[in-house]
Amino acid sequence: MKKILIGAVLYIITAPFCLAQVHWLNVDSLYGSLPTSVHVFTTTDLIDGKPNIAFYVIADLKDLKLSFTTDTTLNRRITPQQFYEKNQQPLLIVNGTFFDFATNRNLNAVIKNGKLVSYNVHTTALKGKDTLLYMHTFRSAIGITKKRKADVAWLYTDSSARFAKAFQQVPGFYKDSFAVVTQKGLLQRSSKWNMQTAISGGPVLIQNTKIAVSNNEEHMFSGKAIDDKHPRTAMGYRADGKLIILVVQGRMPGIAEGATLTELAKLLLDLGCVEALNLDGGGSSCMLVNGKETIKPSDKEGQRPVPAVFIIEENK
């Protein structure tokens, strides 16, 4: 665990200097009628000297004309465009959670209308020299309360409990011989997370206005994978109550290379986020505004079917 904590400190110290601040252009006019509290921006500035295309949407959580929600499917996946039609054409649709390709199973927590409708996978059976052992992880999420306050935390979710439990400091992972989470002392450090809306992914990218990529503690991407450039989806919030939803196009050499997790964190920090996290990326990354794509999805088939999305609706 000491090595993991040291790695996190190094990211806090070195990450802010990894790329110059990019310049963003307002492109509201390309996305139809928008509420005055919602804006769309794009950039084609280079990231680390590589071609880049990125978009972000900023929305005011305090605007009562906006609703923030989620939607999921059960043991199946549909495209963001299909979610858009299924939800009566909302203002914004963006992909969220990770999933199992073989089973279409959602692997992360989702809260809709104050209810847990999907749960984090906390226990994974290990193989090889660790056969008969289990890995226990606590993945991160972004939530919005009824009072429209946002929070990023690491979650423990139990299907027998009404509310998720949240850690405000990264708990890390552990191994043992039990197929369920048993460390009561660890869970006692968590508290009830009473959110109206939430979507989970990981790792956390920003905490307390500092880049702090909790990849190792959430046991997300192995080896040097966090330094690979990919399409990305991320969410965060600012101290003034503005929500930031960011997507980065990628896997298109010479056009849009994508971003590393650290580069993604730097973009969010420059946009003023006090907390932020990574969501499912790669071919899943897709954001629609009034039904129109922002970045171009990297899969040659177009939009990848996903099991859960985050939604912004304009109240009529």
Side-chain angles (χ1 to χ4, degrees), residues 7 11 31 36 39 71 116 124 133 146 149 156 215 257 270 286:
Y11 271 111
Y31 291 91
T36 57
H39 300 287
D71 194 17
L116 273 163
T124 304
L133 292 179
K146 279 188 176 182
K149 299 289 186 181
Y156 172 71
N215 181 70
E257 303 275 338
D270 287 344
C286 180

Side-chain angles (χ1 to χ4, degrees), residues 6-19:
I6 291 171
V9 171
L10 287 175
Y11 271 111
I12 292 172
I13 294 172
T14 63
F17 304 101
C18 66
L19 73 159

Side-chain angles (χ1 to χ4, degrees), residues 37-104:
S37 64
V38 176
H39 300 287
V40 185
F41 292 85
T42 189
T43 185
T44 55
D45 285 3
L46 301 180
I47 294 181
D48 192 30
K50 303 294 185 180
N52 162 59
I53 298 173
F55 285 79
Y56 80 87
V57 167
I58 183 168
D60 191 348
L61 290 169
K62 295 173 287 188
D63 185 351
L64 298 181
K65 295 180 181 179
L66 300 179
S67 294
F68 303 89
T69 186
T70 57
D71 194 17
T72 61
T73 52
L74 180 62
N75 297 324
R76 65 189 181 100
R77 296 181 285 132
I78 62 177
T79 65
Q81 185 66 40
Q82 289 171 315
F83 272 112
Y84 175 74
E85 299 298 337
K86 178 175 180 280
N87 286 274
Q88 290 74 54
Q89 303 179 342
L91 179 64
L92 178 141
I93 293 275
V94 68
N95 73 291
T97 58
F98 293 86
F99 59 89
D100 187 314
F101 274 97
T103 64
N104 296 321

Side-chain angles (χ1 to χ4, degrees), residues 19-35:
L19 73 159
Q21 188 166 2
V22 304
H23 301 89
W24 296 90
L25 175 68
N26 183 292
V27 288
D28 289 357
S29 61
L30 300 180
Y31 291 91
S33 176
L34 298 175

Side-chain angles (χ1 to χ4, degrees), residues 138-204:
F138 303 87
R139 299 283 164 79
S140 51
I142 183 167
I144 302 168
T145 69
K146 279 188 176 182
K147 294 184 177 181
R148 296 171 175 261
K149 299 289 186 181
D151 183 46
V152 169
W154 294 267
L155 302 188
Y156 172 71
T157 58
D158 186 334
S159 59
S160 65
R162 181 180 176 186
F163 296 102
K165 291 186 176 182
F167 300 87
Q168 294 299 326
Q169 299 296 324
V170 60
F173 66 89
Y174 69 95
K175 302 177 186 178
D176 63 20
S177 58
F178 299 99
V180 295
V181 173
T182 59
Q183 286 200 7
K184 293 183 179 180
L186 176 64
L187 295 180
Q188 287 172 355
R189 291 163 43 196
S190 65
S191 58
K192 184 174 74 172
W193 207 53
N194 190 0
M195 294 289 151
Q196 182 70 8
T197 299
I199 197 157
S200 181
V204 163

Side-chain angles (χ1 to χ4, degrees), residues 257-298:
E257 303 275 338
T260 69
L261 286 181
T262 308
E263 290 166 349
L264 185 66
K266 180 61 165 56
L267 290 173
L268 290 158
L269 186 68
D270 287 344
L271 291 173
C273 289
V274 296
E275 290 193 314
L277 81 159
N278 178 63
L279 297 169
D280 188 16
S284 298
S285 285
C286 180
M287 181 168 67
L288 308 180
V289 179
N290 279 329
K292 182 178 179 180
E293 287 183 352
T294 52
I295 63 167
K296 182 178 180 180
S298 63

